[in-house]
Amino acid sequence: MTAPEYTIDPLEWVTRRGTGALADKMGLEWLEFTAERGVARMPVEGNTQPVGLFHGGAYVVLGESLGSMHANYLAGPGRLAVGVDINATHTRSATSGFVTGVCTPLHVGRTLMVHEIVLSDDAGRRCSTVRITNLVKDAAGIA
């Protein structure tokens, strides 16, 4: 996969761009970011259901943050990727530590991108699989 023309390292690009107030509030932390994949994690503590399990919506926030940011990176300067579809299948519950997401593109097109995000607990066990589709368009005139 060819990386877009940027003057800074991809991890610096995503760090400078920011993740948004919700992901920041939930403690998202970038670990790796390249044209081939993105990796981030989120603490279980503070992001749980009343019974102490990592909240299903938190898996989706982590997955969407990874997939949308990676699609925006691949879209390149002057283009904007916006989510148009997302789904998540939860297969295990995290109860402590961190949930780590590994995001890989399944399809990178001129107008549509599809990413899969595998979310795992600290033991490396898959807890959720998220798939997001982003529409890519010209960023001109978008506030």
Side-chain angles (χ1 to χ4, degrees):
M1 175 171 320
T2 305
E5 294 294 322
Y6 291 102
T7 58
I8 60 174
D9 173 77
L11 184 57
E12 185 177 344
W13 178 89
V14 75
T15 302
R16 279 189 189 179
R17 182 161 181 155
T19 311
L22 177 60
D24 287 346
K25 187 177 291 188
M26 295 179 73
L28 186 143
E29 174 185 1
W30 293 104
L31 303 176
E32 177 186 332
F33 201 85
T34 67
E36 291 74 37
R37 71 185 208 154
V39 182
R41 70 181 188 170
M42 187 179 285
V44 172
E45 186 176 338
N47 294 312
T48 59
Q49 301 173 346
V51 295
L53 305 176
F54 195 68
H55 197 289
Y59 286 117
V60 177
V61 169
L62 181 53
E64 180 155 3
S65 298
L66 274 158
S68 291
M69 291 303 285
H70 201 261
N72 272 285
Y73 178 77
L74 294 178
R79 307 278 288 159
L80 179 67
V82 294
V84 294
D85 183 65
I86 190 164
N87 74 25
T89 302
H90 310 311
T91 51
R92 178 179 292 278
S93 299
T95 57
S96 64
F98 288 86
V99 171
T100 301
V102 178
C103 171
T104 54
L106 301 177
H107 172 77
V108 178
R110 189 175 51 79
T111 57
L112 277 180
M113 293 189 198
V114 179
H115 285 78
E116 177 183 67
I117 303 91
V118 174
L119 302 159
S120 304
D121 64 13
D122 284 339
R125 298 174 297 200
R126 185 182 295 223
C127 296
S128 185
T129 305
V130 175
R131 192 191 73 205
I132 184 170
T133 302
N134 280 280
L135 174 68
V136 181
K137 55 188 181 177
D138 187 3
I142 296 175

